[in-house]
Amino acid sequence: MAGTEVFARRASGLTREASLLDAAYFGIMNNGVPVSVWLVLGAFAWVPGANLTIASLIMMVLTVFGLAFVFGILGGSMPRSGGEYVYNSRILHPVVGMGESFCTGALVQLAWIWILAPWIGETGLPMMAAVLGIPPEAVEPFTHGWGLYLVSTLANVTGLLAVMAGMKTYFKIQRVFVTWALVGVVIPAVIFAATSHEQFVAIWNSYAEQYRSLDFASFVQAAQQQMDGIPETWNWRSTLGMLLPISWVSIYAYIIAFIGGEVKSPRKNLFIAQVLNAIVPISLLLFIGLAYTKTMGWEGVHALAWAGENDLEGYTFPFKPTYVALATMIAGHSKILGFIMAAAFIVADWLWVPCSYICWSRAAFAWGMDGLGPRWFTEISPRWNQPVKLLVAMFIASQIALTQYCWNPEFLGGFSVEVLELISVFGITAVAAIVFPYVGKVRHIWRSSPYYNWRIGPIRLVTISGVLLLTMVVLLVVSYYVTEALAFMHEVWTWVFIGVWLSGVGWYYLWKYVRKREGVDVTLTFTQIPPE
């Protein structure tokens, strides 16, 4: 081993710069509340008969006491950057940690840029045009082809620059944009809460006459015929199907794990931030969901979702009936309120781009610190305090991916990417949490954990939370595979899941072999948590 560097024996070079607010906002940011609310309310088109309130409450219980507790306890026990790779490689096995991190730290982060950066052009700009009274044909060129590529590239470049400027700069941007995103959801929720169904119908009908469109009763009837009927009441199958879109607003705060080594007082703040990020977004969804359903009515909620996803004959309003456009219409087409709400959607969507850069770079950096990657994976730029080469690598890969998407968009692909993430992140990590107190090789880590004495009766709390998280994963995966509207993606993406996992396993054994030839046994690095 002479002359050969064992990566896990030196300091990482990352610094603790994130406050509790920064950590909490990092999780809330990744739940993308304005975008996720739009997704959830539109889901009634393909899970008709869902009970949004019951589904939201189920997800709140499973997210708070399952996911948040699991990632809070594991994060506080092993407060290092790199995501769930750190926990799973130590508790379970390095090949398991590498396999799932190859999915979530590499492919999934690339896939989110591939899917979500174009949403700014596909959905964000038309939404902004609608609330500002701009003719839809003015922004139509930016919703596909070269125009969409321009918008997506601009989002990608600015996302890269925001991270390259350093985490302090990124956190300042995040504070402004996440606050804006939350305000942008509260405003329409208040508008809907203050508007009765009768008032909304009167407003709709007055604009329907102006736009020579269907009045609300005729609009609902037309949608009902086109979608082969609207269920008279809710049912459990659709309610369970609604869990999948609701998960967008509830489960992604786990992303804090990727910056665990950069959070101040991590053993306390990581747990608090995870819990806050489970409660705040779902509470906002419950608020706006109840208000929206009251104002639109049961049949109206379904009809509006259908018209938002499909062309409905007779509907000639100059905008899609998104919750942002409807709230703006109720407010008398206030351009100020409309701009705030539409821009909240855009900034929330954009934040996912720098988030992917941060998460990818921290995952690959952690692999490099364990010797599972080329040496440049662990290089931190002294000027930017960032792994610049990793960020540039993601930029190149994401631009290639965006080129494909902008001419072959796949809107619902996001749900398949999510299922890949569910199995690889949450399923594997749930198992790690369940067995954490009982695995001998990490007993010294568990005994030094601030959550060592947390138990309910004789059972460790982390084990109970792991079971709840695993239950949530099973429900969400079942939701994906039993939802008929998503069936066309099952076969292709199931093989993608398998292929990426096998690639991660191959990556581990490749670099284990490379290091062995250099005289380094990488398995020794997994007997301890990575260095600060």
Side-chain angles (χ1 to χ4, degrees):
M1 295 180 62
T4 301
E5 181 179 35
V6 180
F7 298 109
R9 295 296 184 267
R10 63 182 174 84
S12 70
L14 299 175
T15 57
R16 299 197 185 278
E17 299 180 283
S19 65
L20 173 59
L21 177 64
D22 295 327
Y25 264 25
F26 194 67
I28 291 174
M29 168 277 298
N30 203 44
N31 282 328
V33 182
V35 184
S36 297
V37 167
W38 161 75
L39 193 75
V40 169
L41 297 179
F44 282 98
W46 41 275
V47 282
N51 189 312
L52 180 57
T53 301
I54 291 178
S56 298
L57 290 174
I58 291 173
M59 284 303 298
M60 178 174 282
V61 171
L62 294 176
T63 304
V64 172
F65 299 105
L67 185 146
F69 276 29
V70 163
F71 279 89
I73 292 172
L74 292 180
S77 301
M78 289 177 261
R80 300 293 188 268
S81 293
E84 73 290 341
Y85 161 80
V86 176
Y87 323 140
N88 294 326
S89 62
R90 269 68 187 172
I91 299 173
L92 299 176
H93 191 278
V95 74
V96 175
M98 190 68 248
E100 61 83 18
S101 187
F102 205 79
C103 291
T104 60
L107 177 72
V108 167
Q109 302 311 320
L110 173 62
W112 286 138
I113 298 178
W114 169 64
I115 292 171
L116 299 173
W119 279 12
I120 295 176
E122 289 180 311
T123 302
L125 291 184
M127 188 181 290
M128 181 64 77
V131 301
L132 296 181
I134 299 172
E137 55 269 19
V139 298
E140 194 274 338
F142 299 100
T143 63
H144 59 87
W146 283 108
L148 181 60
Y149 185 72
L150 176 63
V151 172
S152 303
T153 298
L154 181 61
N156 200 22
V157 170
T158 53
L160 170 65
L161 293 177
V163 179
M164 290 275 281
M167 294 303 287
K168 285 185 178 179
T169 299
Y170 168 76
F171 286 136
K172 290 177 182 178
I173 297 171
Q174 178 183 265
R175 288 169 201 162
V176 174
F177 281 4
V178 172
T179 301
W180 192 335
L182 296 178
V183 171
V185 172
V186 171
I187 289 174
V190 171
I191 291 173
F192 295 138
T195 306
S196 68
H197 179 64
E198 292 74 19
Q199 289 173 319
F200 170 74
V201 170
I203 293 170
W204 175 285
N205 290 342
S206 67
Y207 283 109
E209 184 176 352
Q210 175 182 336
Y211 299 130
R212 298 188 179 185
S213 186
L214 296 171
D215 63 47
F216 194 69
S218 300
F219 167 79
V220 171
Q221 185 177 9
Q224 187 172 18
Q225 291 175 350
Q226 191 168 311
M227 63 190 298
D228 297 325
I230 296 173
E232 293 184 3
T233 186
W234 69 278
N235 62 81
W236 273 110
R237 176 168 181 165
S238 294
T239 299
L240 293 177
M242 182 62 84
L243 296 179
L244 193 62
I246 288 177
S247 68
W248 277 55
V249 80
S250 64
I251 68 174
Y252 287 107
Y254 91 92
I255 213 81
I256 302 170
F258 283 91
I259 61 167
E262 296 155 82
V263 176
K264 299 174 183 177
S265 303
R267 293 184 178 273
K268 174 184 67 175
N269 287 341
L270 287 173
F271 184 87
I272 296 173
Q274 291 286 1
V275 173
L276 287 175
N277 288 316
I279 294 174
V280 172
I282 304 181
S283 297
L284 285 173
L285 176 63
L286 276 169
F287 179 24
I288 194 170
L290 288 169
Y292 184 81
T293 303
K294 171 193 71 70
T295 300
M296 308 305 160
W298 173 255
E299 293 182 337
V301 166
H302 287 79
L304 291 165
W306 183 263
E309 300 294 327
N310 305 275
D311 293 328
L312 183 65
E313 186 177 354
Y315 175 78
T316 58
F317 281 49
F319 51 80
K320 287 189 175 182
T322 64
Y323 78 94
V324 170
L326 294 171
T328 304
M329 184 180 75
I330 293 171
H333 284 296
S334 167
K335 292 185 177 180
I336 295 176
L337 292 179
F339 175 80
I340 293 172
M341 292 184 287
F345 180 100
I346 291 173
V347 300
D349 193 295
W350 176 83
L351 279 168
W352 276 324
V353 177
C355 175
S356 288
Y357 279 103
I358 293 169
C359 294
W360 146 252
S361 62
R362 271 47 182 183
F365 182 87
W367 308 344
M369 291 295 289
D370 286 336
L372 301 179
R375 286 177 171 77
W376 59 268
F377 271 25
T378 62
E379 292 180 10
I380 298 291
S381 167
R383 179 177 181 184
W384 308 108
N385 197 32
Q386 290 282 16
V388 172
K389 292 181 180 179
L390 288 171
L391 299 177
V392 172
M394 173 60 84
F395 177 76
I396 295 171
S398 59
Q399 279 301 118
I400 295 171
L402 288 173
T403 303
Q404 186 278 333
Y405 183 98
C406 291
W407 279 272
N408 298 280
E410 187 185 353
F411 169 73
L412 290 176
F415 290 109
S416 288
V417 175
E418 179 184 11
V419 173
L420 171 60
E421 200 165 2
L422 283 169
I423 297 170
S424 293
V425 176
F426 306 119
I428 299 298
T429 308
V431 173
I434 292 170
V435 303
F436 185 23
Y438 313 107
V439 176
K441 63 182 178 180
V442 292
R443 187 164 294 131
H444 61 293
I445 299 175
W446 172 239
R447 286 177 175 171
S448 65
S449 168
Y451 313 103
Y452 176 74
N453 291 318
W454 288 24
R455 65 179 75 206
I456 296 179
I459 306 176
R460 304 288 185 177
L461 182 60
V462 68
T463 298
I464 296 172
S465 297
V467 171
L468 290 175
L469 176 55
L470 195 59
T471 301
M472 184 189 78
V473 171
V474 171
L475 286 174
L476 292 176
V477 173
V478 168
S479 173
Y480 173 72
Y481 281 101
V482 303
T483 300
E484 294 181 1
L486 303 179
F488 69 97
M489 295 183 294
H490 294 170
E491 183 175 350
V492 173
W493 281 91
T494 298
W495 285 108
V496 170
F497 304 161
I498 295 172
V500 174
W501 252 91
L502 291 176
S503 299
V505 172
W507 179 274
Y508 169 77
Y509 284 111
L510 169 65
W511 286 101
K512 181 181 179 182
Y513 172 75
V514 170
R515 297 299 173 228
K516 183 178 181 180
R517 293 196 63 181
E518 296 175 347
V520 177
D521 182 0
V522 295
T523 61
L524 297 177
T525 66
F526 296 100
T527 61
Q528 60 184 20
I529 60 175
E532 292 279 5

